[in-house]
Amino acid sequence: MFYKIRTAFDLGIKNIITVLWYKIRIQYSIHPACRLKPKLASGPFFKRSLSSPLEILPLSNWTHSALLFSHIEIPLHSQTPEWTTNLLTGESFTLPLKPWWKISDFDEKVGDIKIIWEMSRMNWVIAFAQRARNGDLNSLINLNKWLEDWLEKNPPYLGPNWKCGQEASIRIINLCCGALILENDGNTTKGLQKLIELHIRRIAATVSYGVAQDNNHGTSEAAALFIGGSWLAAAGSYDGKQFEELGRRLLENRASNLILKDGSFSQYSLNYHRMVLDTFSIVEVWRRKLDVKPLSDAYYESISKATSWLYQMICPKSGYGPNLGANDGSLLLQLTDSSYMDFRPSIQLATALFLNRKAYNDSPSCDHHLSWLGVSLKQSSGDQYKNCDFDSGGYKVIRSYDATVFFRYPRFKFRPSQSDAMHIDLWVNGFNFLSDAGSFSYNSAPDMSSYFSGTESHNTIQFDDRDQMPRLGRFLFGNWLKVTNVSPISVQDDDVCCSASYLDFRGASHSRKINLSGSSLKVIDKVEGFMKKAVLRWRLSDNKWTLKHTEHGVELSNDIGFNMVVSSGISFTRANIVKGWQSLFYMKKELAPILEIEMIDAGTITTNINWSL
């Protein structure tokens, strides 16, 4: 009970009261959002662009098929999608549709509601708008047809697609992108104005709940209120100006509160960091387009730091980065066919907007976001990659030649979504040698969310078959770990070192020291205070491995030049390669090899890794 109370204070009493009061009023249908009166909206929504075509290929997605979460292909058969059906299982919400507040987030029959939401995020607006901009008038017809059909099958404030304020916000952002591409942002049709207003009123009614989450819900909803409000205000709506000002205040508040002084974001997640950065980027693009008053200097300073943070996390050759934190497959600004795992287009856009330069000069596809959204910028050089002490968020990035280590330690101002203290990712020449397991799904059958967010899915040590923090709910851990004895990054010649440690709620402690030098990595782990056993895991790249037992431990090697030796003065009770799960894409998992070292005595374990790539 003590740690539940302590967790409540960590979350913030004001936030908890806001959420509880919201849920009580929703449960008894007395929340103001339950009394929203929709106004009818009908097409046409978008008009033909009078601008010249862009010499850029439009999205290939949403032609003959849809690609959900960047890997699940759904045939379209020249028809509009089934908006309230799980297209993987065929299960649908029953008709007539219930009011959104009477629908559960976790319906075992329908499955993961995110599969339904994904079709209604309206990413297809961008694809149709791009083709229409380049002269395909059938795409303009289809764009208006799909919007008409969506409104008919999703009557305002009824059904699953009206349940989440953030989902409504993402639709506004995609409609905004469509308007920018077709240059319909000035003389907006009455139909599109009504559609925006329907969404704005839904978002505004519950925005306090979204803000109380202290995550990307609040940033998305603030952005939608600002964009949608200024859009309506430009069309002469008095209410639009009020929504714009509410969005402005919340954008300032969210940037100030959720972006830490080193640029880290509150959700401790690489993919959610990209999502929030994309959110701020589209706000700025829209603000400039409508010539709306800028936000504060402090706001822009925070986002500039968040931009630099993400830049330092990403491999410039591939655009890939470590799969740190929760990852639900979100890709907000789907303007190109570049890989979902390629973060460079988002970084290029944010760097141009907030740092007034390019991050990448040798990747032409990274400029496509700028072109579609009308952002111009001359060639310039980006930041230099360096060792980074992101201590406010609990990250260290250390580099030596072509190797990079990402070190995650417990510095929690906000609620952690994964039990990943002391995890490390190792990348060599863009190759992810030691990796994180990912997230897979928030609502799978059987439920695997505990596995993917738990300690065993990370390159760290697990004590007594339990997570590092007690689990209080599907998305909530209690008794948040606190780092102790964290050292700054030190550099001497070719050696780059750092370390940190923690003591958990049951008295077990883990201290990890990292030394990266040239083509080798040494990790020294000291463990004590556990009851029965400790298990060290190294989640390996999917290659053929040879395991050999030695006098003091084990030695591994593979066919691409990696060698790993794990040794200790204490005996290992077990040392073998097992199969575990890994997920690079939401709703997709595959088996991956994991080296597990088990011990029953306290002591020190040393892992030496060498490579010759």
Side-chain angles (χ1 to χ4, degrees):
M1 178 59 70
F2 170 76
Y3 60 76
K4 290 183 179 180
I5 296 173
R6 177 180 172 183
T7 303
F9 278 97
D10 287 337
L11 289 169
I13 298 301
K14 180 181 178 181
N15 285 345
I16 290 177
I17 291 173
T18 298
V19 170
L20 288 176
W21 181 230
Y22 165 84
K23 290 186 173 181
I24 290 170
R25 289 186 294 167
I26 286 294
Q27 182 178 353
Y28 292 101
S29 301
I30 59 174
H31 194 286
C34 304
R35 299 193 295 273
L36 287 174
K37 300 298 181 184
K39 297 180 180 179
L40 295 178
S42 60
F45 301 96
F46 285 96
K47 301 176 295 185
R48 180 178 178 179
S49 173
L50 299 177
S51 301
S52 302
L54 293 177
E55 298 300 321
I56 308 172
L57 287 176
L59 283 168
S60 59
N61 197 9
W62 303 104
T63 49
H64 305 297
S65 62
L67 199 63
L68 304 187
F69 307 116
S70 301
H71 73 96
I72 302 173
E73 189 169 6
I74 305 294
L76 294 176
H77 305 301
S78 301
Q79 299 174 355
T80 52
E82 296 291 333
W83 304 112
T84 58
T85 298
N86 182 324
L87 297 176
L88 301 185
T89 66
E91 294 290 345
S92 302
F93 281 87
T94 55
L95 298 175
L97 295 173
K98 297 179 182 177
W100 66 263
W101 62 89
K102 295 184 178 180
I103 297 172
S104 172
D105 280 342
F106 304 102
D107 186 317
E108 291 185 2
K109 176 187 174 185
V110 177
D112 195 332
I113 197 171
K114 285 183 63 60
I115 299 171
I116 293 171
W117 285 349
E118 188 75 5
M119 297 296 289
S120 289
R121 286 188 161 189
M122 295 188 178
N123 303 316
W124 39 268
V125 168
I126 293 176
F128 286 140
Q130 288 177 336
R131 291 177 207 137
R133 170 68 182 268
N134 283 357
D136 181 2
L137 295 184
N138 283 331
S139 289
L140 183 63
I141 293 170
N142 282 332
L143 173 53
N144 285 306
K145 174 185 172 183
W146 279 39
L147 286 169
E148 286 272 17
D149 188 73
W150 190 89
L151 268 173
E152 180 184 342
K153 305 292 175 52
N154 296 274
Y157 316 139
L158 300 178
N161 288 314
W162 288 102
K163 180 167 180 56
C164 178
Q166 183 181 41
E167 295 302 312
S169 301
I170 291 172
R171 288 196 285 274
I172 283 187
I173 288 171
N174 280 315
L175 290 168
C176 159
C177 287
L180 289 167
I181 292 166
L182 290 170
E183 298 197 334
N184 282 189
D185 48 285
N187 187 18
T188 308
T189 64
K190 292 294 184 183
L192 189 51
Q193 290 178 38
K194 293 291 186 184
L195 182 58
I196 295 297
E197 185 176 355
L198 281 172
H199 281 78
I200 285 291
R201 294 194 182 281
R202 165 65 188 89
I203 296 162
T206 58
V207 70
S208 60
Y209 172 75
V211 169
Q213 307 304 307
D214 275 346
N215 60 17
N216 59 66
H217 284 246
T219 56
S220 300
E221 293 174 32
L225 288 169
F226 181 85
I227 291 170
S230 58
W231 203 342
L232 295 176
S237 167
Y238 173 75
D239 288 344
K241 192 64 180 177
Q242 291 183 313
F243 290 131
E244 176 193 334
E245 289 304 315
L246 174 59
R248 179 186 294 273
R249 291 197 302 273
L250 292 177
L251 284 168
E252 294 275 7
N253 175 276
R254 295 296 79 194
S256 173
N257 285 276
L258 303 187
I259 298 176
L260 303 177
K261 62 182 181 180
D262 62 7
S264 302
F265 179 59
S266 67
Q267 286 183 273
Y268 310 114
S269 157
L270 206 73
N271 200 55
Y272 284 145
H273 194 108
R274 170 171 63 181
M275 183 180 184
V276 77
L277 197 58
D278 279 345
T279 302
F280 288 127
S281 290
I282 194 62
V283 165
E284 182 62 12
V285 170
W286 184 259
R287 184 200 67 76
R288 294 183 185 184
K289 186 70 174 179
L290 265 62
D291 196 23
V292 175
K293 181 180 70 174
L295 288 94
S296 70
D297 290 344
Y299 169 88
Y300 289 116
E301 183 179 357
S302 291
I303 301 168
S304 296
K305 290 178 179 178
T307 302
S308 297
W309 185 97
L310 191 58
Y311 175 85
Q312 293 290 342
M313 290 283 184
I314 300 303
C315 172
K317 295 179 181 178
S318 64
Y320 297 176
N323 199 8
L324 297 176
N327 182 355
D328 69 349
S330 294
L331 180 56
L332 185 59
L333 300 181
Q334 296 186 31
L335 293 160
T336 71
D337 279 333
S338 60
S339 168
Y340 151 79
M341 296 191 296
D342 186 352
F343 283 65
R344 290 174 300 177
S346 293
I347 295 171
Q348 187 83 311
L349 177 61
T351 303
L353 292 168
F354 303 115
L355 298 175
N356 196 32
R357 62 174 182 263
K358 284 187 177 181
Y360 312 101
N361 284 323
D362 54 355
S363 300
S365 62
C366 293
D367 291 340
H368 292 172
H369 275 47
L370 308 181
S371 299
W372 284 118
L373 297 176
V375 178
S376 59
L377 190 70
K378 297 179 180 179
Q379 294 284 104
S380 62
S381 59
D383 288 338
Q384 296 298 311
Y385 290 93
K386 57 187 178 182
N387 296 315
C388 300
D389 248 323
F390 295 130
D391 187 59
S392 298
Y395 307 91
K396 293 186 187 296
V397 183
I398 62 174
R399 309 179 194 274
S400 181
Y401 297 99
D402 292 323
T404 304
V405 172
F406 301 92
F407 181 32
R408 177 82 181 105
Y409 56 93
R411 182 78 79 186
F412 300 133
K413 179 180 178 181
F414 302 94
R415 60 175 173 170
S417 64
Q418 297 205 350
S419 193
D420 60 355
M422 304 297 161
H423 168 85
I424 67 172
D425 251 53
L426 170 62
W427 293 67
V428 181
N429 285 327
F431 176 73
N432 193 187
F433 174 61
L434 299 175
S435 62
D436 189 291
S439 296
F440 177 51
S441 172
Y442 295 160
N443 184 27
S444 60
D447 185 9
M448 297 190 68
S449 58
S450 294
Y451 172 86
F452 280 95
S453 63
T455 304
E456 64 183 309
S457 285
H458 300 93
N459 294 315
T460 186
I461 290 180
Q462 182 178 27
F463 297 120
D464 300 322
D465 292 326
R466 58 180 170 80
D467 283 327
Q468 296 163 335
M469 299 170 284
R471 194 179 292 273
L472 302 182
R474 185 184 293 264
F475 301 114
L476 181 62
F477 288 101
N479 243 22
W480 302 349
L481 293 175
K482 296 186 182 300
V483 69
T484 57
N485 301 321
V486 61
S487 71
I489 296 171
S490 66
V491 181
Q492 186 172 6
D493 297 327
D494 291 336
D495 291 344
V496 188
C497 302
C498 63
S499 65
S501 59
Y502 72 80
L503 178 69
D504 77 8
F505 69 111
R506 290 189 176 174
S509 66
H510 178 194
S511 173
R512 172 162 279 183
K513 182 178 180 180
I514 301 168
N515 185 314
L516 180 63
S517 178
S519 58
S520 68
L521 171 67
K522 177 186 284 189
V523 181
I524 301 174
D525 292 304
K526 182 178 180 181
V527 294
E528 54 190 357
F530 52 93
M531 297 295 293
K532 296 180 180 179
K533 65 178 181 178
V535 177
L536 167 65
R537 290 185 178 87
W538 294 120
R539 305 183 61 86
L540 306 167
S541 55
D542 193 12
N543 290 282
K544 294 181 180 179
W545 292 90
T546 300
L547 175 65
K548 182 174 69 175
H549 289 266
T550 65
E551 182 180 356
H552 297 291
V554 294
E555 180 177 356
L556 280 84
S557 59
N558 68 7
D559 55 1
I560 61 170
F562 278 93
N563 178 266
M564 175 187 287
V565 175
V566 184
S567 59
S568 178
I570 58 176
S571 298
F572 298 154
T573 55
R574 179 172 62 87
N576 59 328
I577 295 177
V578 302
K579 289 293 184 181
W581 292 108
Q582 180 158 329
S583 175
L584 292 176
F585 297 89
Y586 195 73
M587 295 299 299
K588 181 180 181 180
K589 67 182 190 300
E590 55 191 1
L591 291 172
I594 304 170
L595 173 63
E596 290 190 349
I597 306 289
E598 181 180 303
M599 62 218 78
I600 59 174
D601 296 318
T604 300
I605 312 99
T606 300
T607 302
N608 282 291
I609 304 171
N610 296 275
W611 53 86
S612 56
L613 295 183

